[in-house]
Amino acid sequence: MKQVFEAALFDELQHIYPDTATSEGSKIYRVSAANGGYAGVHIMMTGLTPGIPVTIEVVGEHHSYRLFELIPVPVEVNTGAKQRSEYLKNDINKYAVRRAPFMTYEVYRPMFNIFQPAGVSAAAAFICQVEYCRKQRTRKWEILVTHGDVTRKLEFIVDEYPVRIPSVQDQKQRYINWINYNNIADCHGLSKWTPAYDEMLRKYYDVLLYSRQNMVNLPITECFDLVDGQPVLNEEKLDHVVDIALKAGFTWFNGNAFIGRYSSQADDKAFFDSLPHDTIENPDEICDAYRDKAFDAFDNGTLAWLGFTKEIVPSESGNKHLFDMHAQVYAYIEKKGLKDRWMQCCMDEPNAALTETYAIASQIVHEAMPGIKTMEPVLPDFRGEGTVDIWCPSLDIYEKNQEFYNAQVEKGDELIVYSCLTPGGNYCNRLLDQEHLRQVWIGWAPVLYPNVTGFLHWGANQAGHDAYHRSARQFAHKAMDFHEKLAMMLPAGDPLIIYPWGDMPCVSSRSEAHRIGYEDLGLLEQLPVDKAAELTHKVFNGYADYTKDISLYREVKEELMQAVMEQQ
């Protein structure tokens, strides 16, 4: 049977897959948008003949738009019902958008007007800017998709409202994804601290700012040299990233932690050799042993270490170098005039077992950096009152323990939330088998949780070259590792939200949804508190209590813009 080429439009927040039928989409699609934002739609194509390209012609009232080929990535295993993947507890997550394994369109690869599809189906994205809207108006875009001698005509309609989304520099909520600076070099074949690397870093910063990220982490631990056994700050290296970040327009700066847990993923030959191989009957017992060892060290270890010098903290030399390194960074911060814009991590994810160690390290950091606030992702059982300035629990832990965290805010501390390999289930997160509305709701949540002043995620680009072929990654994976440490596998999409491609970074379906949520929040904050809450309650009532109906979201978003317009 001869294949028939078809094309259809889908909401940009809807998951589409290589096997999505165009009959599920529309020939005409309509959305509303505000000044300072963007309007987008996805184009699904089926019935393609391999070897024949697809061209897309756009006819509209201006040329302030971009086209992207959408690249699919794999979801090898579903997120767990609570955290990590279903391998962790062999549970079934009934809230996943689809049962794994599957492919989902995720990466926005920029194109001009033609691309070569890899199979019998393909997808693309159209995004236009909304600007210079003086009064309410409607823009119509005719999208002509051609494959061979067949052209399909689609229409995208944007109702534009004369209300303005604040610039990312004026955004009240802090938003940060931790950048892996080494991966920027490795994934693009560059050497760090070179002009070519600086240019690529500018591109990453531009993409993240476009995505509404207004805080950037800085790799200060990588900017030290060992001179006569002493760590010395290389200001020239730090200037590379700080000056580019300042010029790009970031509002807030986050210094990465000098110390970490003195534990590992138990991924060493000595541990493997120590296992009772004579009594093991099933290779999976090895995987279980690795898991138990790794989690025990992670959950119950009481020591930290200064990675740069490999010294234990607390110890006399470790404490001294910890102070000296922070003091040098503090002097740099003062020289650059960044003191009021800087937040410093002390030790990532302390828990109850590390309370005493963390208190010692925190005191050292505060003494070395007077007036600088510490910002710390903390594990559920950590209760280090008086040692953290900006608490950062995972969003589910905050919601379940609001009394404790809100009490810290009343004492003068601040609060932001984070997500990563947790939470799973129906909680808002940004994993590949979750609805894109969940990322939008992270932006809306502060309306109901006014003490939440920001969001953090560890994974801007933590995955490397194979991000298009492996989404559910695991720590310390070896190419020929037959004893897969499945329980320690990260859920699909956790390590990154920005993808490397050739000479550029690419945004993703999830980063676009994050951006949309923060654009919405910029409008919600222009309303009286009670009106903003009224609109929010129509679609979001908690991090695990929200609508998944995109049509309802679009209706309430239009209500939001009308309400802001009435306020003006």
Side-chain angles (χ1 to χ4, degrees), residues 2 12 29 40 50 66 106 118 132 144 146 176 181 229 245-246 248 332 389 395 445 478 501 546 556 563:
K2 184 179 179 180
E12 62 185 328
Y29 202 75
R66 295 294 303 273
E106 162 73 348
Y132 311 124
L144 304 173
T146 301
I176 181 171
Y181 287 82
L246 285 169
Y332 179 88
D389 300 312
L395 52 82
K478 300 174 183 177
W501 188 289
Y546 50 84
V556 174

PDB file of all heavy atoms in Angstrom, residues 2 12 29 40 50 66 106 118 132 144 146 176 181 229 245-246 248 332 389 395 445 478 501 546 556 563:
ATOM      1  N   LYS A   2       0.618   2.147  -0.925  1.00  0.00           N
ATOM      2  CA  LYS A   2       1.421   3.355  -1.054  1.00  0.00           C
ATOM      3  C   LYS A   2       1.180   4.284   0.129  1.00  0.00           C
ATOM      4  O   LYS A   2       0.042   4.511   0.533  1.00  0.00           O
ATOM      5  CB  LYS A   2       1.082   4.073  -2.353  1.00  0.00           C
ATOM      6  CG  LYS A   2       1.971   5.292  -2.595  1.00  0.00           C
ATOM      7  CD  LYS A   2       1.628   5.965  -3.907  1.00  0.00           C
ATOM      8  CE  LYS A   2       2.508   7.192  -4.116  1.00  0.00           C
ATOM      9  NZ  LYS A   2       2.181   7.871  -5.408  1.00  0.00           N
ATOM     10  N   GLU A  12       2.482  22.662  21.356  1.00  0.00           N
ATOM     11  CA  GLU A  12       3.902  22.484  21.678  1.00  0.00           C
ATOM     12  C   GLU A  12       4.115  21.821  23.037  1.00  0.00           C
ATOM     13  O   GLU A  12       5.225  21.351  23.331  1.00  0.00           O
ATOM     14  CB  GLU A  12       4.620  23.836  21.656  1.00  0.00           C
ATOM     15  CG  GLU A  12       4.100  24.837  22.674  1.00  0.00           C
ATOM     16  CD  GLU A  12       4.748  26.216  22.536  1.00  0.00           C
ATOM     17  OE1 GLU A  12       5.925  26.281  22.143  1.00  0.00           O
ATOM     18  OE2 GLU A  12       4.061  27.216  22.825  1.00  0.00           O
ATOM     19  N   TYR A  29      -4.447  25.556  14.170  1.00  0.00           N
ATOM     20  CA  TYR A  29      -4.271  25.563  15.614  1.00  0.00           C
ATOM     21  C   TYR A  29      -4.132  26.999  16.084  1.00  0.00           C
ATOM     22  O   TYR A  29      -3.493  27.822  15.427  1.00  0.00           O
ATOM     23  CB  TYR A  29      -3.046  24.747  16.037  1.00  0.00           C
ATOM     24  CG  TYR A  29      -3.133  24.305  17.486  1.00  0.00           C
ATOM     25  CD1 TYR A  29      -3.981  23.276  17.871  1.00  0.00           C
ATOM     26  CD2 TYR A  29      -2.401  24.951  18.474  1.00  0.00           C
ATOM     27  CE1 TYR A  29      -4.096  22.881  19.182  1.00  0.00           C
ATOM     28  CE2 TYR A  29      -2.493  24.560  19.799  1.00  0.00           C
ATOM     29  CZ  TYR A  29      -3.351  23.529  20.153  1.00  0.00           C
ATOM     30  OH  TYR A  29      -3.460  23.150  21.465  1.00  0.00           O
ATOM     31  N   GLY A  40       4.367  29.059  19.875  1.00  0.00           N
ATOM     32  CA  GLY A  40       4.918  27.958  19.113  1.00  0.00           C
ATOM     33  C   GLY A  40       3.917  26.853  18.853  1.00  0.00           C
ATOM     34  O   GLY A  40       2.884  26.753  19.528  1.00  0.00           O
ATOM     35  N   PRO A  50      11.787   7.777   2.427  1.00  0.00           N
ATOM     36  CA  PRO A  50      13.203   8.008   2.730  1.00  0.00           C
ATOM     37  C   PRO A  50      13.969   8.477   1.493  1.00  0.00           C
ATOM     38  O   PRO A  50      13.775   7.963   0.387  1.00  0.00           O
ATOM     39  CB  PRO A  50      13.687   6.639   3.208  1.00  0.00           C
ATOM     40  CG  PRO A  50      12.452   5.989   3.770  1.00  0.00           C
ATOM     41  CD  PRO A  50      11.341   6.450   2.875  1.00  0.00           C
ATOM     42  N   ARG A  66      11.380  31.219  13.928  1.00  0.00           N
ATOM     43  CA  ARG A  66      12.400  30.197  13.698  1.00  0.00           C
ATOM     44  C   ARG A  66      11.732  28.858  13.454  1.00  0.00           C
ATOM     45  O   ARG A  66      10.657  28.570  14.004  1.00  0.00           O
ATOM     46  CB  ARG A  66      13.330  30.076  14.920  1.00  0.00           C
ATOM     47  CG  ARG A  66      14.168  31.299  15.226  1.00  0.00           C
ATOM     48  CD  ARG A  66      15.190  31.592  14.143  1.00  0.00           C
ATOM     49  NE  ARG A  66      16.091  30.490  13.875  1.00  0.00           N
ATOM     50  CZ  ARG A  66      17.240  30.278  14.541  1.00  0.00           C
ATOM     51  NH1 ARG A  66      17.600  31.102  15.527  1.00  0.00           N
ATOM     52  NH2 ARG A  66      18.018  29.271  14.227  1.00  0.00           N
ATOM     53  N   GLU A 106      12.143  15.552  21.228  1.00  0.00           N
ATOM     54  CA  GLU A 106      12.658  16.298  22.367  1.00  0.00           C
ATOM     55  C   GLU A 106      13.568  17.471  21.994  1.00  0.00           C
ATOM     56  O   GLU A 106      13.426  18.562  22.513  1.00  0.00           O
ATOM     57  CB  GLU A 106      13.429  15.324  23.280  1.00  0.00           C
ATOM     58  CG  GLU A 106      14.391  15.918  24.285  1.00  0.00           C
ATOM     59  CD  GLU A 106      13.721  16.600  25.460  1.00  0.00           C
ATOM     60  OE1 GLU A 106      12.503  16.815  25.412  1.00  0.00           O
ATOM     61  OE2 GLU A 106      14.423  16.924  26.421  1.00  0.00           O
ATOM     62  N   ALA A 118      14.861  11.154   8.673  1.00  0.00           N
ATOM     63  CA  ALA A 118      15.602   9.903   8.786  1.00  0.00           C
ATOM     64  C   ALA A 118      14.713   8.681   8.576  1.00  0.00           C
ATOM     65  O   ALA A 118      15.220   7.572   8.404  1.00  0.00           O
ATOM     66  CB  ALA A 118      16.280   9.823  10.153  1.00  0.00           C
ATOM     67  N   TYR A 132       5.943  44.266  20.100  1.00  0.00           N
ATOM     68  CA  TYR A 132       5.363  45.482  19.512  1.00  0.00           C
ATOM     69  C   TYR A 132       3.849  45.403  19.371  1.00  0.00           C
ATOM     70  O   TYR A 132       3.259  45.961  18.450  1.00  0.00           O
ATOM     71  CB  TYR A 132       5.999  45.797  18.153  1.00  0.00           C
ATOM     72  CG  TYR A 132       7.503  45.762  18.170  1.00  0.00           C
ATOM     73  CD1 TYR A 132       8.224  44.946  17.316  1.00  0.00           C
ATOM     74  CD2 TYR A 132       8.214  46.558  19.079  1.00  0.00           C
ATOM     75  CE1 TYR A 132       9.606  44.908  17.351  1.00  0.00           C
ATOM     76  CE2 TYR A 132       9.601  46.532  19.117  1.00  0.00           C
ATOM     77  CZ  TYR A 132      10.290  45.707  18.257  1.00  0.00           C
ATOM     78  OH  TYR A 132      11.667  45.679  18.291  1.00  0.00           O
ATOM     79  N   LEU A 144       3.344  25.915   4.868  1.00  0.00           N
ATOM     80  CA  LEU A 144       3.236  25.005   3.735  1.00  0.00           C
ATOM     81  C   LEU A 144       4.338  23.956   3.838  1.00  0.00           C
ATOM     82  O   LEU A 144       5.530  24.275   3.752  1.00  0.00           O
ATOM     83  CB  LEU A 144       3.352  25.780   2.422  1.00  0.00           C
ATOM     84  CG  LEU A 144       2.338  26.927   2.238  1.00  0.00           C
ATOM     85  CD1 LEU A 144       2.649  27.726   0.988  1.00  0.00           C
ATOM     86  CD2 LEU A 144       0.913  26.376   2.193  1.00  0.00           C
ATOM     87  N   THR A 146       6.033  20.633   2.320  1.00  0.00           N
ATOM     88  CA  THR A 146       6.109  19.936   1.032  1.00  0.00           C
ATOM     89  C   THR A 146       7.051  18.752   1.117  1.00  0.00           C
ATOM     90  O   THR A 146       8.168  18.854   1.643  1.00  0.00           O
ATOM     91  CB  THR A 146       6.581  20.892  -0.077  1.00  0.00           C
ATOM     92  OG1 THR A 146       5.669  21.993  -0.182  1.00  0.00           O
ATOM     93  CG2 THR A 146       6.659  20.176  -1.414  1.00  0.00           C
ATOM     94  N   ILE A 176      17.832  28.230  38.056  1.00  0.00           N
ATOM     95  CA  ILE A 176      19.171  27.808  37.675  1.00  0.00           C
ATOM     96  C   ILE A 176      19.212  26.332  37.336  1.00  0.00           C
ATOM     97  O   ILE A 176      18.611  25.501  38.011  1.00  0.00           O
ATOM     98  CB  ILE A 176      20.200  28.118  38.799  1.00  0.00           C
ATOM     99  CG1 ILE A 176      21.608  27.686  38.389  1.00  0.00           C
ATOM    100  CG2 ILE A 176      19.796  27.460  40.118  1.00  0.00           C
ATOM    101  CD1 ILE A 176      22.691  28.144  39.336  1.00  0.00           C
ATOM    102  N   TYR A 181      30.768  22.616  32.746  1.00  0.00           N
ATOM    103  CA  TYR A 181      31.641  23.377  31.854  1.00  0.00           C
ATOM    104  C   TYR A 181      32.593  22.469  31.070  1.00  0.00           C
ATOM    105  O   TYR A 181      32.984  22.804  29.944  1.00  0.00           O
ATOM    106  CB  TYR A 181      32.417  24.420  32.648  1.00  0.00           C
ATOM    107  CG  TYR A 181      31.545  25.585  33.081  1.00  0.00           C
ATOM    108  CD1 TYR A 181      30.737  25.511  34.210  1.00  0.00           C
ATOM    109  CD2 TYR A 181      31.508  26.760  32.338  1.00  0.00           C
ATOM    110  CE1 TYR A 181      29.929  26.570  34.588  1.00  0.00           C
ATOM    111  CE2 TYR A 181      30.699  27.828  32.695  1.00  0.00           C
ATOM    112  CZ  TYR A 181      29.914  27.729  33.824  1.00  0.00           C
ATOM    113  OH  TYR A 181      29.106  28.779  34.196  1.00  0.00           O
ATOM    114  N   GLY A 229      52.069  23.552  46.872  1.00  0.00           N
ATOM    115  CA  GLY A 229      51.192  22.820  47.768  1.00  0.00           C
ATOM    116  C   GLY A 229      50.002  23.595  48.278  1.00  0.00           C
ATOM    117  O   GLY A 229      49.216  23.068  49.071  1.00  0.00           O
ATOM    118  N   ALA A 245      29.410  35.863  31.470  1.00  0.00           N
ATOM    119  CA  ALA A 245      28.095  35.797  32.125  1.00  0.00           C
ATOM    120  C   ALA A 245      27.546  37.187  32.401  1.00  0.00           C
ATOM    121  O   ALA A 245      26.343  37.446  32.241  1.00  0.00           O
ATOM    122  CB  ALA A 245      28.198  35.005  33.430  1.00  0.00           C
ATOM    123  N   LEU A 246      28.402  38.103  32.823  1.00  0.00           N
ATOM    124  CA  LEU A 246      27.966  39.483  33.064  1.00  0.00           C
ATOM    125  C   LEU A 246      27.480  40.129  31.773  1.00  0.00           C
ATOM    126  O   LEU A 246      26.434  40.784  31.739  1.00  0.00           O
ATOM    127  CB  LEU A 246      29.102  40.294  33.672  1.00  0.00           C
ATOM    128  CG  LEU A 246      29.416  40.041  35.153  1.00  0.00           C
ATOM    129  CD1 LEU A 246      30.734  40.702  35.539  1.00  0.00           C
ATOM    130  CD2 LEU A 246      28.283  40.567  36.040  1.00  0.00           C
ATOM    131  N   ALA A 248      26.404  38.621  29.149  1.00  0.00           N
ATOM    132  CA  ALA A 248      25.190  37.951  28.673  1.00  0.00           C
ATOM    133  C   ALA A 248      23.942  38.494  29.360  1.00  0.00           C
ATOM    134  O   ALA A 248      22.874  38.545  28.767  1.00  0.00           O
ATOM    135  CB  ALA A 248      25.312  36.443  28.899  1.00  0.00           C
ATOM    136  N   TYR A 332      37.713  38.113  45.245  1.00  0.00           N
ATOM    137  CA  TYR A 332      37.386  38.285  43.831  1.00  0.00           C
ATOM    138  C   TYR A 332      35.969  38.840  43.662  1.00  0.00           C
ATOM    139  O   TYR A 332      35.724  39.740  42.855  1.00  0.00           O
ATOM    140  CB  TYR A 332      37.518  36.942  43.109  1.00  0.00           C
ATOM    141  CG  TYR A 332      37.171  36.989  41.637  1.00  0.00           C
ATOM    142  CD1 TYR A 332      38.132  37.298  40.692  1.00  0.00           C
ATOM    143  CD2 TYR A 332      35.870  36.723  41.193  1.00  0.00           C
ATOM    144  CE1 TYR A 332      37.829  37.341  39.338  1.00  0.00           C
ATOM    145  CE2 TYR A 332      35.548  36.771  39.850  1.00  0.00           C
ATOM    146  CZ  TYR A 332      36.531  37.074  38.921  1.00  0.00           C
ATOM    147  OH  TYR A 332      36.212  37.125  37.592  1.00  0.00           O
ATOM    148  N   ASP A 389      21.522  29.410  54.715  1.00  0.00           N
ATOM    149  CA  ASP A 389      20.811  30.677  54.509  1.00  0.00           C
ATOM    150  C   ASP A 389      19.660  30.520  53.516  1.00  0.00           C
ATOM    151  O   ASP A 389      18.602  31.113  53.690  1.00  0.00           O
ATOM    152  CB  ASP A 389      21.780  31.745  53.987  1.00  0.00           C
ATOM    153  CG  ASP A 389      22.916  32.017  54.952  1.00  0.00           C
ATOM    154  OD1 ASP A 389      22.628  32.200  56.152  1.00  0.00           O
ATOM    155  OD2 ASP A 389      24.077  32.034  54.515  1.00  0.00           O
ATOM    156  N   LEU A 395      10.990  19.644  45.740  1.00  0.00           N
ATOM    157  CA  LEU A 395       9.673  20.283  45.821  1.00  0.00           C
ATOM    158  C   LEU A 395       8.640  19.426  46.541  1.00  0.00           C
ATOM    159  O   LEU A 395       7.749  19.955  47.222  1.00  0.00           O
ATOM    160  CB  LEU A 395       9.194  20.694  44.426  1.00  0.00           C
ATOM    161  CG  LEU A 395       9.182  19.676  43.293  1.00  0.00           C
ATOM    162  CD1 LEU A 395       7.954  18.804  43.330  1.00  0.00           C
ATOM    163  CD2 LEU A 395       9.316  20.383  41.958  1.00  0.00           C
ATOM    164  N   ALA A 445       3.718  27.515  40.482  1.00  0.00           N
ATOM    165  CA  ALA A 445       3.628  27.115  41.886  1.00  0.00           C
ATOM    166  C   ALA A 445       3.848  28.244  42.891  1.00  0.00           C
ATOM    167  O   ALA A 445       3.163  28.296  43.921  1.00  0.00           O
ATOM    168  CB  ALA A 445       4.602  25.970  42.170  1.00  0.00           C
ATOM    169  N   LYS A 478      30.292   1.528  32.405  1.00  0.00           N
ATOM    170  CA  LYS A 478      31.412   1.080  31.589  1.00  0.00           C
ATOM    171  C   LYS A 478      30.883   0.489  30.289  1.00  0.00           C
ATOM    172  O   LYS A 478      29.820  -0.130  30.262  1.00  0.00           O
ATOM    173  CB  LYS A 478      32.231   0.033  32.345  1.00  0.00           C
ATOM    174  CG  LYS A 478      32.817   0.543  33.652  1.00  0.00           C
ATOM    175  CD  LYS A 478      33.496  -0.582  34.419  1.00  0.00           C
ATOM    176  CE  LYS A 478      34.022  -0.082  35.762  1.00  0.00           C
ATOM    177  NZ  LYS A 478      34.612  -1.190  36.556  1.00  0.00           N
ATOM    178  N   TRP A 501      24.861  19.971  19.891  1.00  0.00           N
ATOM    179  CA  TRP A 501      24.702  19.573  18.493  1.00  0.00           C
ATOM    180  C   TRP A 501      25.661  20.407  17.643  1.00  0.00           C
ATOM    181  O   TRP A 501      25.467  21.614  17.496  1.00  0.00           O
ATOM    182  CB  TRP A 501      23.273  19.790  18.010  1.00  0.00           C
ATOM    183  CG  TRP A 501      23.042  19.208  16.637  1.00  0.00           C
ATOM    184  CD1 TRP A 501      23.533  19.662  15.443  1.00  0.00           C
ATOM    185  CD2 TRP A 501      22.271  18.043  16.316  1.00  0.00           C
ATOM    186  NE1 TRP A 501      23.133  18.876  14.419  1.00  0.00           N
ATOM    187  CE2 TRP A 501      22.357  17.865  14.911  1.00  0.00           C
ATOM    188  CE3 TRP A 501      21.536  17.142  17.060  1.00  0.00           C
ATOM    189  CZ2 TRP A 501      21.712  16.805  14.249  1.00  0.00           C
ATOM    190  CZ3 TRP A 501      20.894  16.106  16.400  1.00  0.00           C
ATOM    191  CH2 TRP A 501      20.980  15.942  15.020  1.00  0.00           C
ATOM    192  N   TYR A 546      -2.788  18.800  39.862  1.00  0.00           N
ATOM    193  CA  TYR A 546      -2.841  19.792  38.788  1.00  0.00           C
ATOM    194  C   TYR A 546      -3.542  19.174  37.581  1.00  0.00           C
ATOM    195  O   TYR A 546      -3.694  17.950  37.484  1.00  0.00           O
ATOM    196  CB  TYR A 546      -1.420  20.213  38.383  1.00  0.00           C
ATOM    197  CG  TYR A 546      -0.529  19.033  38.133  1.00  0.00           C
ATOM    198  CD1 TYR A 546      -0.531  18.385  36.895  1.00  0.00           C
ATOM    199  CD2 TYR A 546       0.279  18.503  39.144  1.00  0.00           C
ATOM    200  CE1 TYR A 546       0.241  17.264  36.662  1.00  0.00           C
ATOM    201  CE2 TYR A 546       1.056  17.374  38.919  1.00  0.00           C
ATOM    202  CZ  TYR A 546       1.039  16.764  37.686  1.00  0.00           C
ATOM    203  OH  TYR A 546       1.800  15.640  37.466  1.00  0.00           O
ATOM    204  N   VAL A 556      -7.221  29.036  30.494  1.00  0.00           N
ATOM    205  CA  VAL A 556      -6.890  29.831  31.681  1.00  0.00           C
ATOM    206  C   VAL A 556      -5.769  30.823  31.360  1.00  0.00           C
ATOM    207  O   VAL A 556      -5.752  31.942  31.877  1.00  0.00           O
ATOM    208  CB  VAL A 556      -6.513  28.913  32.849  1.00  0.00           C
ATOM    209  CG1 VAL A 556      -6.033  29.722  34.049  1.00  0.00           C
ATOM    210  CG2 VAL A 556      -7.704  28.043  33.244  1.00  0.00           C
ATOM    211  N   ALA A 563      -7.054  39.315  32.217  1.00  0.00           N
ATOM    212  CA  ALA A 563      -7.071  39.911  33.555  1.00  0.00           C
ATOM    213  C   ALA A 563      -5.956  40.935  33.717  1.00  0.00           C
ATOM    214  O   ALA A 563      -6.165  42.005  34.310  1.00  0.00           O
ATOM    215  CB  ALA A 563      -6.931  38.806  34.612  1.00  0.00           C
TER     216      ALA A 563
END
